[in-house]
Amino acid sequence: MSAQATYETILYDKDATDKFATITINRPDKLNAMNKTVVREIDKALAAAVADPDVNALVITGAGRAFSSGYDLQGGDFDVDIDFWRADMGENAEALLNIWKAPIPVIASVNGYALAGALELMMCCDLAIAADNAKFGEPEVRHNSGPPALMMPWLLATRDVRWLMYTGDLVDAEEALRMHLINKIVPADRLKEKTENLARKLARMPVPALKFTKASINNQQMVAGLLPSFQYNIEAIAALHVTRQGREWMANLAKMSLKEYLAFRDGPFKGLD
């Protein structure tokens, strides 16, 4: 596939002077919510980057005022069985793992919100630079759901993992840095510049050095059980979605507007900081 391939929901651009490319989730009117098309197009563009000898590093970011608000809660058929959820979670997890497994370094450039599945996407990247106005969280626990790819325990201290995944609270960039969710905070108006500087640095490194270094780091996590832990999580979240409470929440989503649904979901937690 050539770099000129067309996409509906993302942009794929190669830098004119250095060997790196950028994938931009391009649904700014929906805060870059990730539907199936987004997931599959990111995976397709990732494969194009990996296969291209002129791409030594990759950036993933979002258009407009968000990295991504997570998986799209609108437009789906939620009256489904555990086999559907198992396949759905499996496809999403595989796409995120492909980012983690890519033999080139992948940088998340985080503007605004990085929530739920988008936070997992960010954590599957090798490095993350965030604007000073970025917000991070796993709010889906509040509507009886969970992430398809459980990368957080492989990056953060267990206390911080439990806090984010039990409460659904959002944290700012400073707290995300303390937790090691991200590597660096920069002013929002310099995010593109600073991200591209890092991409240029990585693109100019000896390619085999980064390829084998990444493989060795990833192997350490694999030996420790990363892949079986992902599979367990797929089964757990699929089962969660077909519990009585899970079906009730899905029914609410089908009959409410997204604005009503989020207000209904988050209302009980107002003022409990």
Side-chain angles (χ1 to χ4, degrees):
M1 182 174 60
S2 71
Q4 282 71 44
T6 57
Y7 301 96
E8 285 182 49
T9 62
I10 68 167
L11 305 174
Y12 179 74
D13 301 295
K14 291 172 64 174
D15 187 71
T17 58
D18 273 293
K19 291 187 174 184
F20 74 90
T22 300
I23 294 171
T24 304
I25 306 171
N26 191 35
R27 301 181 78 205
D29 56 321
K30 295 186 178 294
L31 294 180
N32 298 320
M34 302 191 306
N35 58 18
K36 282 296 181 188
T37 304
V38 173
V39 172
R40 290 167 183 167
E41 290 191 341
I42 290 174
D43 200 45
K44 184 178 179 181
L46 174 70
V50 167
D52 190 339
D54 291 324
V55 177
N56 296 345
L58 182 66
V59 173
I60 300 179
T61 192
R65 59 192 181 95
F67 179 75
S68 169
S69 57
Y71 289 105
D72 198 338
L73 296 178
Q74 295 180 296
D77 179 7
F78 298 112
D79 185 18
V80 291
D81 63 14
I82 193 169
D83 290 331
F84 171 90
W85 288 117
R86 185 180 290 118
D88 183 72
M89 295 291 108
E91 180 182 359
N92 291 336
E94 182 178 6
L96 295 180
L97 272 173
N98 285 341
I99 296 169
W100 177 80
K101 292 188 294 186
I104 58 175
V106 183
I107 306 163
S109 183
V110 183
N111 46 312
Y113 291 108
L115 305 180
L119 183 61
E120 297 295 326
L121 185 156
M122 184 202 84
M123 289 188 289
C124 286
C125 297
D126 298 280
L127 300 167
I129 297 180
D132 52 11
N133 62 355
K135 299 284 187 183
F136 309 83
E138 294 276 13
E140 65 268 46
V141 67
R142 296 183 178 184
H143 60 253
N144 205 73
S145 188
L150 193 56
M151 183 59 76
M152 192 179 290
W154 297 92
L155 297 182
L156 274 58
T158 303
R159 293 284 190 193
D160 290 330
V161 174
R162 294 185 193 278
W163 185 278
L164 289 172
M165 298 201 67
Y166 288 5
T167 67
D169 288 350
L170 305 192
V171 297
D172 62 18
E174 291 289 345
E175 182 67 358
L177 184 65
R178 182 199 67 77
M179 290 179 169
H180 303 292
L181 264 175
I182 58 176
N183 297 98
K184 189 173 184 179
I185 302 170
V186 300
D189 62 358
R190 300 191 68 189
L191 177 63
K192 186 174 187 292
E193 169 200 347
K194 292 296 186 180
T195 301
E196 290 185 351
N197 283 349
L198 177 59
R200 293 183 200 286
K201 182 183 293 186
L202 297 179
R204 296 175 189 182
M205 294 287 180
V207 173
L210 290 186
K211 178 179 178 179
F212 284 98
T213 297
K214 178 169 181 174
S216 294
I217 294 169
N218 282 10
N219 182 67
Q220 196 168 56
Q221 292 180 312
M222 288 176 67
V223 169
L226 184 145
L227 297 181
S229 77
F230 269 49
Q231 190 58 49
Y232 181 92
N233 183 69
I234 289 168
E235 294 296 326
I237 302 305
L240 170 64
H241 284 167
V242 296
T243 61
R244 178 181 58 81
Q245 294 94 331
R247 291 187 181 280
E248 288 173 355
W249 276 102
M250 296 301 172
N252 287 331
L253 182 56
K255 66 187 180 184
M256 293 181 180
S257 70
L258 182 60
K259 183 177 181 180
E260 291 171 329
Y261 184 77
L262 295 179
F264 177 70
R265 180 192 74 179
D266 294 329
F269 307 103
K270 297 289 186 183
L272 297 181
D273 295 339

